[in-house]
Structure formats: structure tokens, C-alpha cells
Amino acid sequence: MHSETNKLLMNRNKKLVETIVKGLQEKKGHDIVTVDMSNLSGAICNYMVICQGNNPNQVTSLSDSVWEFANRDLNEKPLSVVGTQNAQWVGMDYGTVLVHIFMPEARAYYRLESLWEDAPTTQIPDIY
């Protein structure tokens, strides 16, 4: 039973990550990276999705699109959303999946995708 629950959770997480990526692509988010942290002990989440927008309006639009896609397609809502006031960085917490949408300067400063070297990363090609 325990392994069946793990399979369901892994499947849910992968579907959520795919849906989040679609939401980001819908609003032309670029340099999208997924970080699979599911096999790291003590990790704060199973996946991170990192993306950037060109300006605060696009960062806000990207977070709105993620919210809309996850809610519409999977009936998922974030536990919390932070950073929408100045939109230099917006963080969205879906429990097992964290979404980080940055302005280029903030992304270069924090370099989140390089913090967990043991975690496999996937670069999602820009679609525009």
C-alpha cells in the first residue's frame, strides 16, 4: 500500500510540474528549468520549477497563468504565493512543488538551480 501511495504522489507531482510548465510557456516565460529533488533527503519539496520574465508585468502574468492552469487542469491551488507586490521574484508553494518566477537580475543573484548539485535538472526549451 505504501508503495502504491508513493506512485500516486510521484504521478501527481509530475503532472503538476508539466501543468506549471505549460502555464509558464503560455505567457512566454523563458529559461524554464525543473529541478527534481525527490531523491534528496531533507529536501523542502520534490520539485522546483524556475523561470524568468522580462519585466514585473510579465512576472505577474506568469504567476497568474500558473495559478490558472493548475487550478483548471488539476484542481490545485498554491498553499501560498509571495512576492507579487514588486514582482522581482514570485514564489508559489504547491506543497511538493515550488515555483520561482524571477526577473533576470534576481535570478542571477540567487542562482537556485545551482544550489542542489545532486538534483537532476531539466532545461525546458523556449517555445516562441
Side-chain angles (χ1 to χ4, degrees):
M1 182 78 161
H2 190 267
S3 119
E4 192 61 34
T5 303
N6 283 345
K7 282 183 187 175
L8 289 172
L9 182 60
M10 284 174 45
N11 207 12
R12 174 205 169 266
N13 288 337
K14 287 182 180 178
K15 284 182 180 172
L16 182 55
V17 168
E18 290 169 5
T19 302
I20 288 167
V21 167
K22 287 179 191 171
L24 294 169
Q25 290 174 323
E26 174 72 16
K27 297 297 180 182
K28 296 184 174 33
H30 57 92
D31 201 13
I32 302 168
V33 174
T34 63
V35 182
D36 181 349
M37 301 175 68
S38 60
N39 291 320
L40 299 181
S41 66
I44 59 172
C45 61
N46 289 327
Y47 289 90
M48 275 198 301
V49 181
I50 304 164
C51 170
Q52 71 187 43
N54 295 318
N55 56 57
N57 287 339
Q58 186 183 18
V59 169
T60 300
S61 179
L62 288 163
S63 67
D64 290 347
S65 183
V66 167
W67 197 98
E68 179 185 317
F69 271 65
N71 188 43
R72 182 193 68 209
D73 295 356
L74 301 174
N75 202 30
E76 295 276 355
K77 293 181 183 171
L79 301 171
S80 67
V81 178
V82 296
T84 55
Q85 296 80 10
N86 66 6
Q88 298 298 304
W89 163 77
V90 173
M92 304 177 78
D93 181 355
Y94 282 92
T96 56
V97 179
L98 298 178
V99 182
H100 300 276
I101 306 168
F102 287 104
M103 288 283 295
E105 305 79 28
R107 184 173 188 176
Y109 179 79
Y110 289 106
R111 300 179 335 128
L112 288 185
E113 53 266 59
S114 66
L115 290 180
W116 291 273
E117 292 178 358
D118 295 347
T121 59
T122 303
Q123 181 78 40
I124 309 295
D126 291 345
I127 59 167
Y128 51 91

